[in-house]
Amino acid sequence: MARSADPAVRRRVAEHPRTRPELLYFLAADTAAEVRKAIATNHGTPRQADLLLAKDRELSVRSAVAKKVARLLPDLSADQAAQIERFTVECLETLARDQASEVRGILSEALKDLPNAPHGVINTLARDVELSVCAPVLQHSPILTEEDLVDIIMKGPVAGAMSAIASRREVSASVADAIARSDDEAAVTALLANPSAQIREETLDRILDQAPQHEPWHAPLVRRPRLPARAVARLASFVADNLLKALQERSDLAPDAARALAEAVRVRVGKAASGQGPGRPLGPVDFGEELAAEEKPAERPSDRAARLNKEGKLTEALLEGSLTEGDRAFVLAGLAELAQIGLPIVDRIIGTHAPRAVTALVWRAGLSMRFARQVQLRIAQIPPKTALNARDGVHYPMTDEEMRWQLEFFGIEAKG
């Protein structure tokens, strides 16, 4: 029957559950696709034949092999799965590289939840160019490590892949930080909406720096668990009235966060009453103390900076508020005043769009690396992927000597 000229007869042999393994292997090379497909679906087919069929020229045959694996793996015990892996890992790797996304997708769906799936196969599927293939394992697979996920993010995956990562059951702080740096609006939205995502305060600050221009982030930001006081104050300065109300109605805010919110609302109401409008950002201030100082209408930014510095009020918090408000002229004047250099030189440094030079300028002004990051992004318009980040989340990434060297290019001598 296996040598019959009629493919229908050979197919019956291929389908029969009691056909001997050597005959199934023989029929795996049959000229008729219907026979090879029957071999692919037969659970008695030896692993060597499955590998042969995983490379078959017919899509229907390769799909049948993938579907068989999909049905078998979830029901295997740990010992059985280990045995299957030893014999069929090459077959799985072949299917993971199949030219047809349908075959790779079948495999991805089958392996996405399995704790004992081969790491190499999962990694290949996670880096696939088709979202339908990579998304299931990116969102669900416990096999992918933190290092795998960060590497995938840094290499710029297919559109939609980062949203799948952001929706995982557990998102570590380093993975969340990588997503926040990606400029992917949908992925950051998914990250903020994921209550189990671990988002460091520094990462949250970075997101808040850009949040006024990303309306989809506002609602999930307002609903984030365990919001720090600083984040609450900043949110209250720019979210819409309905979200501000939702923020006020939260009962889980810490006392300092509740005070920050009350003060931010007071300042916002005051600005609305003065005609500046409720939607204009007010800036992340230390409960509004610096904003209590009113600017004289005719006062130039450089004069105001000099006056406030003399009064001891030219603080980082005040400059952050001006940065959020979009008062670029005053931020530059404040940097010039604190750094004790001329405003034209500050303009030249900012105009270079060079991360190291801009960072050195903020260091010279005696301000934090976190603020230097904001100046890079919002004043110098340096792309997030190029901008310098804080070392250990706090410190400047360059030595003092390196930053002095950067400033020497602009004729700035070390402070006496």
Side-chain angles (χ1 to χ4, degrees):
M1 291 178 68
R3 296 181 181 275
S4 171
D6 186 352
V9 174
R10 303 199 303 275
R11 188 187 71 237
R12 288 201 298 273
V13 176
E15 292 172 339
H16 202 285
R18 294 187 181 179
T19 299
R20 296 189 312 190
E22 57 268 31
L23 278 181
L24 292 173
Y25 184 78
F26 170 75
L27 290 173
D30 198 276
T31 56
E34 61 182 292
V35 175
R36 301 197 305 277
K37 183 176 179 181
I39 295 295
T41 58
N42 194 323
H43 289 193
T45 300
R47 300 282 77 79
Q48 297 91 328
D50 280 338
L51 177 58
L52 184 67
L53 295 171
K55 302 174 183 178
D56 197 277
R57 63 182 179 275
E58 292 290 334
L59 171 61
S60 61
V61 175
R62 303 196 306 274
S63 296
V65 174
K67 288 175 182 176
K68 179 171 67 177
V69 174
R71 288 193 298 267
L72 285 174
L73 288 182
D75 297 327
L76 296 176
S77 67
D79 290 341
Q80 288 174 317
Q83 184 179 16
I84 287 291
E85 182 176 344
R86 285 197 301 272
F87 287 111
T88 66
V89 66
E90 188 178 350
C91 176
L92 292 172
E93 288 174 346
T94 300
L95 292 169
R97 296 190 300 268
D98 196 280
Q99 63 181 357
S101 59
E102 176 185 336
V103 174
R104 306 194 306 273
I106 291 170
L107 199 62
S108 179
E109 282 292 335
L111 301 179
K112 67 180 183 183
D113 295 313
L114 298 186
N116 48 13
H119 180 268
V121 175
I122 292 295
N123 225 325
T124 298
L125 294 170
R127 298 167 191 271
D128 200 278
V129 295
E130 293 287 342
L131 184 63
S132 61
V133 177
C134 66
V137 293
L138 285 175
Q139 183 172 352
H140 299 288
S141 178
I143 300 298
L144 292 171
T145 66
E146 184 176 297
E147 290 74 20
D148 291 333
L149 294 170
V150 171
D151 185 60
I152 290 169
I153 293 169
M154 297 303 291
K155 289 182 177 176
V158 63
M162 269 191 279
S163 294
I165 296 173
S167 303
R168 288 174 67 87
R169 185 175 300 169
E170 293 182 5
V171 179
S172 70
S174 61
V175 172
D177 188 58
I179 293 171
R181 297 176 193 275
S182 69
D183 284 342
D184 187 322
E185 184 180 74
V188 175
T189 303
L191 178 71
L192 293 170
N194 185 347
S196 65
Q198 301 174 36
I199 304 179
R200 286 190 284 249
E201 191 165 345
E202 180 199 354
T203 303
L204 192 60
D205 276 343
R206 185 180 300 113
I207 292 172
L208 285 165
D209 288 342
Q210 302 175 52
Q213 290 77 46
H214 295 276
E215 192 275 335
W217 298 354
H218 296 184
L221 272 169
V222 166
R223 296 181 175 89
R224 280 295 303 173
R226 299 178 297 280
L227 276 175
R230 186 181 190 85
V232 170
R234 296 186 69 178
L235 276 172
S237 74
F238 62 78
V239 297
D241 288 344
N242 63 316
L243 292 176
L244 180 61
K245 182 179 179 182
L247 196 57
Q248 290 175 293
E249 291 175 349
R250 286 186 56 157
S251 58
D252 62 335
L253 294 179
D256 59 338
R259 289 194 298 272
L261 175 59
E263 180 60 23
V265 171
R266 184 189 68 77
V267 174
R268 178 167 172 163
V269 170
K271 289 228 171 186
S274 66
Q276 296 185 44
R280 184 177 177 184
L282 306 178
V285 297
D286 293 339
F287 310 142
E289 291 177 6
E290 284 79 10
L291 282 182
E294 292 289 335
E295 178 188 358
K296 295 180 181 179
E299 196 172 25
R300 294 185 307 171
S302 56
D303 293 338
R304 181 189 175 207
R307 174 178 59 79
L308 291 174
N309 192 29
K310 187 176 180 180
E311 296 171 358
K313 295 180 180 178
L314 188 58
T315 63
E316 181 171 318
L318 179 62
L319 289 177
E320 278 190 297
S322 298
L323 185 63
T324 307
E325 287 182 330
D327 192 349
R328 185 178 188 274
F330 179 67
V331 174
L332 294 180
L335 288 172
E337 178 68 26
L338 292 173
Q340 298 178 22
I341 58 179
L343 188 55
I345 297 178
V346 171
D347 280 329
R348 280 175 52 208
I349 295 174
I350 296 296
T352 63
H353 307 291
R356 289 179 174 273
V358 174
T359 299
L361 169 65
V362 180
W363 167 79
R364 165 91 177 197
L367 304 173
S368 71
M369 180 57 203
R370 189 186 61 78
F371 185 65
R373 169 84 182 180
Q374 294 183 52
V375 172
Q376 290 179 78
L377 297 175
R378 307 185 66 175
I379 298 294
Q381 299 296 305
I382 296 170
K385 291 182 180 179
T386 308
L388 293 184
N389 300 309
R391 178 170 52 85
D392 298 328
V394 177
H395 306 294
Y396 275 87
M398 298 182 288
T399 65
D400 291 359
E401 187 59 36
E402 287 174 320
M403 288 188 280
R404 291 191 192 98
W405 185 74
Q406 288 289 330
L407 295 173
E408 285 176 3
F409 278 105
F410 301 91
I412 303 172
E413 297 179 358
K415 289 184 179 181

